[in-house]
Amino acid sequence: MNINGRHWRTIGLDEGGRSVWVIDQTLLPHRFETRPLTSLDQAAAAISTMVVRGAPLIGVTGAYGLMLALQHDPSDQALAAAFEQLNATRPTAVNLRWALERVRDRVAPLPPAERAEAAKAEAGAIAEEDVAMGSAIGDHGLAIFQQLAAARPPERQGEPLNVLTHCNAGWLATVDWGTALAPIYKAHRAGMAIHVWVDETRPRNQGASLTAFELGREGVPHTVIVDNAGGHLMQHGQVDAVIVGTDRTTRRGDVCNKIGTYLKALAAFDNNVPFYVALPASTIDWTIDDGVAEIPIEARSAREVTHIQGLLGEGEIGSLQLTPSGSAGFNPAFDVTPARLVTALITERGVAAASEAGLRGLYGG
Ligand code: MRU
């Protein structure tokens, strides 16, 4: 997507193809910098400290992390240890395990000397597929947005479609396009009038920092709101649809996404606002039924609750304490929205009901 007129992806190979570069998302929106990842440890740290984040991008970074590990030591033991180290960095997004398993299964049967190159090819393939899936999700979501716009009463025809989103499920969370934001980009590029309510998404503010940054660079009209404003806007008819991403989708269509998503789904349900979840196949965990009971929820540092990061002035990025010294903080990073609150799942294969039958209808099995 666009940064100052140049097309960017979030991750790529350096010249020579032996190391990886990523956009450092901890500095956005205030500074746009890339940083190299040259070792397994650097790749693992980039995921756990959220230099890279978003379920699909975590997966691609993990895949390249295995390549970096195998360049150093292509043995069976090193492969297994690298898999475990990367898989432990963030527990909730299933894309990470999916991508690591895919690379491991591709390289494990090969002679050790061939493994690093094969890992590179597989990681590259995962990245390319991610871009294609984001674009296809965008096309399917655009069709829904067009239907919603057309179904509005005559006095509202021509007004922008008001879409609310939570966290960042845009191109920064993937390799390009994004999941939940892909239909918004497709709509904007197709000339459709669209306006996005951007939940700030405490505690790390991925909405206020990353989604607002992305939408601004693409010229999409948007307004940042505090997380608690969504229900009020829905009660007053100011939200036509909610669209979010997911870090893990169960076989029966429960979706696990950034903390606070569930509350938005409840408010949408109560106000008859359609609630869509956009996802690529790599986010489906076919081994799990009940998201609330079975999905591991990452607990991050309480410091993300007690402190807030921002621009302190003169280009300096730092953090401020919000809470009284000594107050405890608790920071569950994700929550689960039950399938019954989801209007539909928007995938790269089309739109499905949030149910096992819906998902099987698209993916078989
Ligand atoms: O903690 P993060 O920033 O990695 O969480 C990201 C999200 O919750 C996204 O909504 C999710 O990964 C879906 S993204 C395409």
Side-chain angles (χ1 to χ4, degrees), residues 50 53-56 90 167-169 173 179 206 246-247 257-258 334:
M50 296 177 65
R53 30 68 52 204
R90 295 199 72 192
C167 195
N168 173 260
T179 57
Q206 289 95 327
T246 165
D247 289 74
N257 191 51
K258 180 55 54 193
F334 298 93

Side-chain angles (χ1 to χ4, degrees), residues 31 83 88 101 129 155 160 180 185 191 196 220 234:
R31 282 214 297 274
F83 182 102
E101 284 176 350
E129 287 167 27
E155 67 274 13
Y185 291 131
V196 185
V220 180
M234 291 183 214

Side-chain angles (χ1 to χ4, degrees), residues 145 160-166 180-181 184-185 194-199 211-212 215 220-225 238 241 243:
F145 286 171
L161 190 77
N162 284 302
V163 178
L164 184 145
T165 192
H166 190 70
L181 295 195
I184 290 167
Y185 291 131
I194 192 158
H195 165 261
V196 185
W197 296 112
V198 179
D199 278 357
T211 299
L215 293 173
V220 180
H222 63 281
T223 307
V224 179
I225 52 174
Q238 290 174 278
I243 187 164

Side-chain angles (χ1 to χ4, degrees), residues 263-309:
L263 289 177
K264 290 296 135 69
L266 286 172
F269 190 78
D270 196 43
N271 290 283
N272 288 318
V273 172
F275 185 92
Y276 297 103
V277 181
L279 61 133
S282 53
T283 305
I284 304 168
D285 186 343
W286 294 101
T287 70
I288 286 182
D289 264 331
D290 181 344
V292 175
E294 297 177 81
I295 296 178
I297 301 296
E298 175 182 12
R300 294 189 61 83
S301 166
R303 194 182 158 86
E304 293 179 354
V305 177
T306 59
H307 290 65
I308 194 162
Q309 179 177 295

Side-chain angles (χ1 to χ4, degrees), residues 10 19 21 46-47 49 70 80 90 110 137-138 148 183 195 219 277 282 289 295 300 315 331 346 360:
T10 52
S19 60
W21 61 261
I47 298 171
T49 61
L70 292 166
R90 295 199 72 192
L110 300 175
I137 289 168
L148 290 174
H195 165 261
V277 181
S282 53
D289 264 331
I295 296 178
R300 294 189 61 83
N331 188 11
I346 305 173
R360 294 278 180 215

